[in-house]
Amino acid sequence: MADRTAPNCRLRLEWVYGYRGHQCRNNLYYTAAKEIVYFVAGVGVVYNTREHKQKFYLGHNDDIISLALHPERVLVATGQVGKEPYICVWDSYTVQTVSILKDMHTHGISCLAFDLDGQVSVLSNKKDFTLYRKLVFQPFQIITIFDISWDLYQQSKLVSCGVKHIKFWSLCGNALTPKRGVFGKNGDLQTILCLACAKDEITYSGALNGDIYVWKGISLIRTVQGAHGSGIFSMNACEEGFATGGRDGCIRLWDLNFKPITPFLIMQGHCEGELWALAVHPTKPLAMTGSDDRSVRIFYLVQYSLSLYLYSFCRDMTEVVHIKDRKEAIHELKYSPDGAHLAVGSNDNSVDIYGVVQRYKKAGECVGSSSFITHMDWSTDSKYLQTNDGNGRRLFYRMPSGKEVTNREELKLVQWSSWTCVLGSEVNGIWPKYSDINDINSVEANFNSQVLVTADDYGLVKLFRYPCVRKGAKFKKYLGHSAHITNVRWSHDYQWVITIGGADHSVFQWKFVPERKSKETLHLAPQETLVDSHSEESDSDQSDVPEMDSEIEQETQLTYRRQVYKEDLPQLKEQCKEKHRAMAMKKRERAPASGLRLHFIHGYRGYDCRSNLFYTQTGEIVYHVAAVGVVYNRQQNTQRFYLGHDDDILCLAIHPIKDYVATGQVGRDSSIHVWETEFLKPLSVLKGFHQFGVCALDFSGIHSHTQGSKDKIFVIKVNPYMPDKLITAGVKHMKFWHRAGGGLIGKKGSMGKTETMMCAVYGWTEEMVFSGTCTGDICIWRDMFLVKTVKAHDGPVFSMHALEKGFVTGGKDGIVALWDDTFERCLKTYAIKRAVLAPGSKGLLLEDNPSIRAISLGHGHILVGTKNGEILEVEKNGPITLLVQVKHRFSCQICLTSGRCCCFSPDGKSLAVGLNDGSFLIVNAETLEDLVSFHHRKDIISDIRFSPVTGKYLAVASGDSLVDIYNVMSSKRVGVCKGSMNYITHLDWDKRGKLLQVNTSAKEQLFFEAPRGKKQTIPATEVDKIDWSTWTCVLGSSCEGIWPAVSEVTEVTSACLSNDRKLLATGDDLGYVKLFKYPVKGKYAKFKQYMAHSTHVTNVRWSHDDSLLASVGGFDTCLMIWSHETEGRREARQCDSEESDIESEDDGGYDSDVTRENEIIYVIKALSTNVRPMTGVKPLLQLKEPSVDERDAVYVFKLYSLSADVSDLNVLVLISAGLFSFQNNLTFTGTISGDVCVWKEHILVRIVAKAHTGPVFTMYTTLRDGLIVTGGKERPSKEGGALKLWDQELKRCRAFRLETGQIIDCVRSVCRGKGKILVGTRNAEIIEVGEKNAACNILVNGHMDGPIWGLGAHPTRDVFLSAAEDGTVRLWDISERKMLNKVNLGHPARAVSYSPEGDMVAIGMKNGEFIILLVTSLKIWGKKRDQRSAIQDIRFSPDSRYLAVGSSENAVDFYDLTLGPQLNRINCCRDIPSFVMQMDFSADSCYVQLSTGAYKRVVYEVPSGKQVTEQAVIDRITWATWTSVLGDEVVGIWSRNTDKADVTCTCVSHSGLNIVTGDDFGMVKLFDFPCPEKFAKHKRFLGHSAHLTNIRFTSGDRFVVSAGGDDRRCLFWCHLFLTNRILLHFRPCIPCSSLYSSFFESAY
């Protein structure tokens, strides 16, 4: 069997040929040791010219593109490309890393520079640059930068240059101030490419035209012209003179007077394109390379030098032959071992065989490949050739004929002269899992040492054993190349491996170290050992990661992400609306009249939180648990609750005056609540800044925000002496922040080894800071400098509190320590143990010396919070009192493993506890002594139950999908319940103790007979008749209604029926406790819902007398006690809500108008999408840059007290079911059922039954006379109507009949004043009604339903038609600004068009029918329906002979109108790529152009329907109209913002000078016509909401009419054409006409 281990031999990078000169500048320097430092690919090279040796820095993982040398010429900084690029600072002597700077840039670091003292490095990413001084940064947004340089002769001076600018910067503190260079008359303003600074404020710069500009300060004083023939890319200044390099290929040395000095050559390499060709000499140490830069180079491997350089394939060597038989590229060449033949593989999918002796006459051809040839190998006898191709096929051919060999038996004894193929059984192991067939670019085997070297697309050189038969073989890998490696070859004597990079243009020479020498000590650079890895996933053996505390590790791994957030519920319910609409019509049981009130919470969140426990001003204790803020009175042992959060609270801070509290929670959009502790009222809710969770808070007097640390932040503290300063601490960082302008600037604390900080406080002065570390030390800081450390605890220091003259600390060791003010002396320690608990404690400690997570002082006591959820109060003289505890008393005494369930016996004397390891215990309920234990199952015990009355049997359910039945008296197992498909979740006994009900996670409801466990099948109707002792199951017909509409994403985890069998309490995955009226039959029952738990509620149970309900949280680890309040004495509470997942008739009835209004989704213009279902490629595609990854951030808020004074009694508030009207302390609300409710304050006084027969949509009242106007849905009759006027007490009314020529049965808005009532109707009309005579005057008309799609302007008059999906076509007069007539069609209309003479109108319908009306009589002249889908456009030909009808069925039908009203179709257009949007006839009626939904414009002949494809013919066509949004003539109308929305309609004016467009954003735009250039300039006009559907010029181009989709309105725009020639001359690209809205008609 083949050895799958990595080979014992190895490679060592010995030489790199070439230098990165393309796309980089200023990247070549002399070091202090007179060595040359530069970079190639991803390798930093230090080249000793005297000894002809190279050293390599291999700390980068991508292309290096910038380099800077420290002023002392020892340290080097290099920057790379990448999504998250970084800078490496390394030593040029040892080539070891000194520092890595990262997390500040994206894309790449293009420029670097050190200042005079080496403390500042400046990095440029073409568009910004950042300053590093002791890891401080400040970003700037500027124009494109090409070079930066520190002025080494002036402190804190910096120069930058780029596109048409040079800037001189001054660094003051952390701020940079720029001054732009003044070119003046001494030089032209142009792009500056490079810089060099000299003494006396002199700066030299190289310009794009080859000149050198000399600057004094910020002014240009002279120009050295013609220094180079073209752009100067690099410049260097020293005491002896200058060196410059330009695009002309010249390097020029200058003295101080700019006299030239001759240079000499040091290193050469390939430059442009990609490097693919590689071959080694068969007998000499030579390697040849060929590149896209049109050069072939021969390298001498022994002397590491270029032996021969051929440019453009010049004839310096004798040409033997020149052959070109193929059109595609030659990818592979190989001579046969006997030298008789040459095999040439090309991208033409073939291999040509040439005879060498016959002067390369073609001898054969191999044509079996289906793709381009990638690799070839000859057999040792030159009789066979194997090939690989781009499709991953391996083929064999007989030589020299080229005949394919298909008999594998013939090839068994073939020996191969070389192996460079990447496919074959011998090299199967080189391929990683899930790799692309082209990942590995090149391979070559070393038969002597039985190793194989590979090169791949990831820049890795790998060394395998050969043969490498089985996949997954191990290897050694080596880094150096920055991108794909295109070829690899062994030298003739197998001493070296040569690799070439494609994009990095580099040639690497690796020394092969055989197995016998690899055990010897090799002088390798440290970086080389790091890349020698046996697998791609292996960690470095030199890893220096310190041991991490288990608690801190657990806390740092918490993400607080939820699969479903509570804010998702409304959206999820909306998605279920259609699914459950049928259920909404059914009557459902009402919610119970009684309710719950949160009474007490056992627990405190300490396992992942710190410093979250404080005394209030009144001596109460405030803390948090689950989603509740708790204020605890320790004297009375009572709690009050803040219930404003809806998810886990993670942090708590108290205001310095100790009466305000801030709490931060988990959430997708995490919120911070600020509330007061006396009345528990929220003062402010801050959100919109954090994701996943807010983990640290503190009060401050400033408002600002900034990016924090990429690592988790544990604590934030504001300086109490200077509120504009603060500190943050967390995983491996401590940062000191101060306010600067509108932001915050942070500096990392200066310390040796970076520690994780768990807590921090300010000391006795503004400069002193004290922090606790994960190792138990206290760090003492002055400003940002570490003064000293003090060992304080054995384990992490989790909490610290500052006193006036000292400190109190608490740590994982369970010790509370009292210190002096300098941490030099520990004054006293308090050990938290059971033995020292005071008699008045509320329970027992779970363990001695629990981990302390919070400490606070006040009122003469020390308050301590532990990881186990306990709160203790320590008196200064020693006694410790336990105040709060979450863990049960038995759990700390009897459970050796974690418990899962428990149950009391019927007499209350015994307690059964199920454990996670599959065992269970029965203990004495009083003494907690063990009575018996069993361990028959391996999986968890999920539920456990005693049988009722005597408790003779015990049912034990497990995760093994079984229920065991035990006889308690005999302590024996007597039965097993089998047959469930999944693990058991719930158990219940009947009252006789003979029958078990079982629920499983597979949603099974099963029944078993005790004691043997025989399975029983019971009909659902009989289950309800069984008298159950308890009901904790969640399945069955009697609890069907507890499951919500969104049960796909949330589970009901627990249930419990009260002892009086009237109420069923449930808990679910979202942390809700719900109360239902039992039995809960029918789906989606109503309930009362209570929010306090943060995540899933694992169990709920009623007390024996139903006065209390206990609920247990899962991850929030707390026990909540709810008091049961009956209907008579119940008060409304903050957590008490009456909810339902879906609406029903029982909620007030169903109304179509109300339902339609509730289902409306309003979309802002900026989020508009296509109004039509378009496909294909848009005329213009816009690319978006990738977003920058978000990081943790620090935010500081300033809080203001907000108040509102409502003094005006005439306040109207609109809701979907009616309207509030406040008057004389009375409130009137209209309901969906037509009733009006009269309220006094919050109490319902009376109900005015059936004020309207349908919903009451609107109300209005005035202070003048107090009369009330109501509007609703009601058909007019003698007794009533949709509009009514009531007296002040809403007892008497007068109904108005709205006489408008049509029935008005729905009023949506009313207003009253000066004897008139203004009415807005469902029919989109505004009517003015006289109170005395009920006279009606219609003020505004409009379309009422559906978008307006059709617009047709009259050819000679200023009138136009609109067609909408409300089934009407309306005629409008522009000059009179009113509707002239309306035609009801009976079906939605989509298109309308006038005939050229204006005597006929064609209307296209949504059902595929079209109608032709006579204008004078509005009678139907003809109608036809040849299509089944919507008519998108309809047009008369200019000669009035033809009618073209375009539909959604990808068809255009032609009708000859001269044949009469029968409207027989004479032809149609075929092969239309998508539905038709717009159509236009040519002026001669011979052609029609179509714009389609596939973004393609097509032209057809009329009436033959033959498509015209010749562009020359199309260009000669003159169009009668132009409404197409597609075509070369209108490319410019498409803007850059059309990636999600489209230009929907357009129209060219009759004069042909302008084109007006409408789009999905609701904008009307005016362009010059034609506009063939992209992004043409235009004028823009607003008025519509989203989606314009149509637009037209009227006759004479005086007006433009636009139609809206969702807004259902038409806008009239007046068209003003400006004839000013000066305006046309100076602004030819901007339309010289303008629009203004002359009339605004709104559909109500």
Side-chain angles (χ1 to χ4, degrees), residues 252-460:
R252 296 191 177 182
L253 301 181
W254 311 78
D255 60 14
L256 295 177
N257 296 320
F258 282 96
K259 293 181 179 180
I261 304 171
T262 304
F264 60 93
L265 181 66
I266 296 175
M267 181 65 65
Q268 273 190 305
H270 291 280
C271 54
E272 297 178 359
E274 287 200 348
L275 180 58
W276 279 91
L278 173 65
V280 294
H281 197 280
T283 58
K284 297 179 181 179
L286 298 175
M288 176 179 282
T289 60
S291 168
D292 290 342
D293 64 0
R294 299 174 59 82
S295 69
V296 172
R297 307 181 188 223
I298 301 177
F299 296 92
Y300 191 34
L301 302 182
V302 176
Q303 298 180 357
Y304 314 127
S305 62
L306 186 68
S307 176
L308 185 63
Y309 170 47
L310 308 177
Y311 182 71
S312 295
F313 304 109
C314 60
R315 309 298 186 257
D316 292 346
M317 301 178 69
T318 303
E319 181 182 285
V320 176
V321 67
H322 189 102
I323 300 173
K324 186 179 180 182
D325 288 339
R326 296 293 173 186
K327 296 180 180 180
E328 296 288 339
I330 303 301
H331 198 85
E332 183 82 330
L333 287 164
K334 198 154 283 185
Y335 280 97
S336 61
D338 59 7
H341 296 92
L342 174 67
V344 181
S346 73
N347 285 2
D348 284 332
N349 309 346
S350 60
V351 179
D352 297 316
I353 310 300
Y354 296 91
V356 176
V357 179
Q358 295 83 12
R359 289 191 57 80
Y360 292 90
K361 181 180 179 181
K362 192 171 183 179
E365 183 178 354
C366 308
V367 293
S369 296
S370 59
S371 183
F372 57 90
I373 307 300
T374 58
H375 306 85
M376 297 186 302
D377 284 303
W378 287 87
S379 62
T380 53
D381 57 6
S382 302
K383 293 182 178 179
Y384 296 95
L385 182 77
Q386 70 168 338
T387 66
N388 292 168
D389 64 25
N391 279 344
R393 298 180 63 196
R394 180 191 182 197
L395 301 176
F396 303 90
Y397 300 93
R398 192 175 292 107
M399 293 291 106
S401 64
K403 183 179 180 181
E404 185 176 353
V405 179
T406 56
N407 183 9
R408 300 290 172 172
E409 296 295 327
E410 183 180 345
L411 301 170
K412 280 188 175 181
L413 300 178
V414 173
Q415 298 291 324
W416 299 103
S417 172
S418 64
W419 192 286
T420 61
C421 287
V422 298
L423 301 173
S425 58
E426 293 87 341
V427 292
N428 278 341
I430 69 174
W431 291 97
K433 293 181 180 180
Y434 319 116
S435 65
D436 188 280
I437 202 68
N438 296 319
D439 281 351
I440 299 177
N441 297 320
S442 184
V443 166
E444 188 169 28
N446 180 341
F447 297 132
N448 295 339
S449 300
Q450 293 188 331
V451 291
L452 184 77
V453 63
T454 70
D456 60 28
D457 278 340
Y458 306 106
L460 298 177

Side-chain angles (χ1 to χ4, degrees), residues 343-645:
V344 181
S346 73
N347 285 2
D348 284 332
N349 309 346
S350 60
V351 179
D352 297 316
I353 310 300
Y354 296 91
V356 176
V357 179
Q358 295 83 12
R359 289 191 57 80
Y360 292 90
K361 181 180 179 181
K362 192 171 183 179
E365 183 178 354
C366 308
V367 293
S369 296
S370 59
S371 183
F372 57 90
I373 307 300
T374 58
H375 306 85
M376 297 186 302
D377 284 303
W378 287 87
S379 62
T380 53
D381 57 6
S382 302
K383 293 182 178 179
Y384 296 95
L385 182 77
Q386 70 168 338
T387 66
N388 292 168
D389 64 25
N391 279 344
R393 298 180 63 196
R394 180 191 182 197
L395 301 176
F396 303 90
Y397 300 93
R398 192 175 292 107
M399 293 291 106
S401 64
K403 183 179 180 181
E404 185 176 353
V405 179
T406 56
N407 183 9
R408 300 290 172 172
E409 296 295 327
E410 183 180 345
L411 301 170
K412 280 188 175 181
L413 300 178
V414 173
Q415 298 291 324
W416 299 103
S417 172
S418 64
W419 192 286
T420 61
C421 287
V422 298
L423 301 173
S425 58
E426 293 87 341
V427 292
N428 278 341
I430 69 174
W431 291 97
K433 293 181 180 180
Y434 319 116
S435 65
D436 188 280
I437 202 68
N438 296 319
D439 281 351
I440 299 177
N441 297 320
S442 184
V443 166
E444 188 169 28
N446 180 341
F447 297 132
N448 295 339
S449 300
Q450 293 188 331
V451 291
L452 184 77
V453 63
T454 70
D456 60 28
D457 278 340
Y458 306 106
L460 298 177
V461 178
K462 296 179 182 178
L463 204 61
F464 294 85
R465 291 187 183 272
Y466 180 83
C468 195
V469 178
R470 297 184 61 186
K471 276 202 170 187
K474 294 188 176 181
F475 54 85
K476 291 183 177 179
K477 68 178 180 182
Y478 303 91
L479 301 173
H481 288 281
S482 60
H484 54 286
I485 306 175
T486 55
N487 219 327
V488 61
R489 287 293 180 267
W490 290 92
S491 63
H492 73 290
D493 55 0
Y494 298 108
Q495 286 193 55
W496 298 286
V497 171
I498 312 300
T499 60
I500 58 175
D504 60 30
H505 310 153
S506 58
V507 181
F508 282 26
Q509 181 175 328
W510 307 80
K511 180 69 175 179
F512 176 61
V513 183
E515 182 177 351
R516 62 182 180 273
K517 292 186 179 181
S518 62
K519 299 178 182 180
E520 301 175 4
T521 302
L522 299 175
H523 299 286
L524 300 178
Q527 284 78 8
E528 287 192 56
T529 62
L530 290 177
V531 298
D532 190 3
S533 173
H534 290 272
S535 73
E536 291 185 326
E537 277 74 43
S538 63
D539 290 329
S540 169
D541 293 333
Q542 301 181 5
S543 177
D544 191 24
V545 180
E547 182 180 1
M548 194 166 189
D549 182 81
S550 59
E551 286 187 27
I552 299 174
E553 182 180 15
Q554 180 182 3
E555 189 171 344
T556 54
Q557 291 175 352
L558 292 174
T559 63
Y560 304 113
R561 299 193 184 193
R562 305 276 192 255
Q563 289 184 345
V564 178
Y565 291 90
K566 292 184 178 67
E567 55 260 40
D568 295 332
L569 284 181
Q571 182 180 359
L572 293 171
K573 290 179 181 179
E574 188 70 23
Q575 293 172 0
C576 297
K577 185 175 291 184
E578 289 294 330
K579 179 180 176 181
H580 305 298
R581 189 178 296 278
M583 291 302 303
M585 304 304 137
K586 298 181 180 180
K587 186 174 179 64
R588 295 173 294 149
E589 189 65 40
R590 291 188 177 274
S594 56
L596 300 176
R597 178 174 60 85
L598 190 56
H599 179 69
F600 203 90
I601 300 180
H602 296 277
Y604 151 74
R605 180 141 185 171
Y607 64 90
D608 64 341
C609 300
R610 294 157 310 285
S611 303
N612 55 350
L613 184 64
F614 299 96
Y615 283 107
T616 68
Q617 201 174 49
T618 59
E620 294 178 307
I621 299 170
V622 61
Y623 58 97
H624 65 83
V625 61
V628 183
V630 182
V631 180
Y632 174 59
N633 188 314
R634 66 188 191 284
Q635 285 82 19
Q636 301 176 7
N637 194 29
T638 59
Q639 293 176 339
R640 297 181 294 121
F641 310 103
Y642 175 74
L643 298 165
H645 289 277

Side-chain angles (χ1 to χ4, degrees), residues 1010-1062:
R1012 296 302 179 191
K1014 184 179 180 181
K1015 189 176 180 180
Q1016 302 291 328
T1017 302
I1018 303 177
T1021 56
E1022 297 298 322
V1023 174
D1024 296 339
K1025 298 177 182 179
I1026 298 174
D1027 194 6
W1028 297 98
S1029 174
T1030 60
W1031 188 285
T1032 61
C1033 288
V1034 297
L1035 301 174
S1037 60
S1038 58
C1039 60
E1040 182 184 14
I1042 69 176
W1043 288 88
V1046 290
S1047 57
E1048 294 86 354
V1049 295
T1050 179
E1051 291 275 345
V1052 178
T1053 56
S1054 57
C1056 187
L1057 181 62
S1058 61
N1059 294 288
D1060 62 5
R1061 311 185 71 79
K1062 293 182 179 180

Side-chain angles (χ1 to χ4, degrees), residues 1369-1560:
V1369 172
R1370 304 183 185 225
L1371 180 63
W1372 306 87
D1373 191 310
I1374 297 178
S1375 58
E1376 296 294 331
R1377 300 177 182 177
K1378 66 179 182 180
M1379 188 178 75
L1380 299 179
N1381 210 336
K1382 178 175 72 172
V1383 177
N1384 289 305
L1385 302 173
H1387 292 284
R1390 294 297 297 265
V1392 64
S1393 177
Y1394 273 103
S1395 65
E1397 293 79 16
D1399 58 342
M1400 303 176 75
V1401 173
I1403 304 167
M1405 314 292 283
K1406 192 175 182 180
N1407 63 355
E1409 184 181 24
F1410 68 92
I1411 300 173
I1412 300 178
L1413 300 177
L1414 297 175
V1415 172
T1416 55
S1417 61
L1418 293 181
K1419 292 183 178 180
I1420 297 177
W1421 181 79
K1423 65 178 180 179
K1424 195 68 180 292
R1425 185 182 182 187
D1426 289 329
Q1427 302 292 343
R1428 299 299 175 186
S1429 60
I1431 303 301
Q1432 297 283 1
D1433 200 4
I1434 191 166
R1435 286 300 179 91
F1436 289 93
S1437 63
D1439 59 6
S1440 299
R1441 179 176 180 181
Y1442 300 112
L1443 180 71
V1445 182
S1447 71
S1448 297
E1449 297 182 16
N1450 306 2
V1452 174
D1453 299 320
F1454 295 122
Y1455 299 87
D1456 192 338
L1457 301 180
T1458 61
L1459 300 179
Q1462 291 78 18
L1463 297 176
N1464 294 323
R1465 181 170 54 182
I1466 60 173
N1467 222 322
C1468 65
C1469 300
R1470 304 181 185 278
D1471 301 325
I1472 301 176
S1474 183
F1475 61 88
V1476 177
M1477 294 192 299
Q1478 295 101 14
M1479 300 188 299
D1480 292 293
F1481 274 97
S1482 62
D1484 56 6
S1485 302
C1486 294
Y1487 300 95
V1488 65
Q1489 70 169 348
L1490 316 175
S1491 57
T1492 70
Y1495 298 106
K1496 292 184 179 179
R1497 171 198 175 205
V1498 288
V1499 178
Y1500 290 87
E1501 293 180 355
V1502 178
S1504 66
K1506 180 182 178 182
Q1507 185 175 355
V1508 181
T1509 57
E1510 295 182 17
Q1511 190 61 40
V1513 176
I1514 296 175
D1515 292 341
R1516 290 194 297 269
I1517 299 174
T1518 301
W1519 300 102
T1521 61
W1522 188 292
T1523 60
S1524 173
V1525 298
L1526 306 172
D1528 295 338
E1529 296 87 341
V1530 292
V1531 169
I1533 69 175
W1534 291 80
S1535 70
R1536 293 181 173 88
N1537 302 316
T1538 53
D1539 53 341
K1540 292 185 178 179
D1542 278 341
V1543 178
T1544 56
C1545 53
T1546 186
C1547 184
V1548 174
S1549 62
H1550 298 85
S1551 64
L1553 298 176
N1554 294 107
I1555 182 172
V1556 63
T1557 68
D1559 58 29
D1560 279 323

Side-chain angles (χ1 to χ4, degrees), residues 820-879:
D820 63 6
D821 57 356
T822 60
F823 273 98
E824 294 180 354
R825 199 159 52 94
C826 183
L827 304 179
K828 193 171 184 178
T829 59
Y830 303 89
I832 308 299
K833 295 185 178 181
R834 300 173 186 168
V836 298
L837 288 183
S841 296
K842 308 293 190 303
L844 295 175
L845 286 175
L846 180 65
E847 60 181 352
D848 284 341
N849 297 321
S851 178
I852 295 173
R853 307 288 296 200
I855 282 184
S856 180
L857 272 76
H859 303 275
H861 300 88
I862 302 174
L863 206 57
V864 177
T866 73
K867 179 190 175 185
N868 297 331
E870 301 146 338
I871 298 177
L872 304 102
E873 194 173 56
V874 181
E875 297 185 18
K876 292 185 178 179
N877 56 1

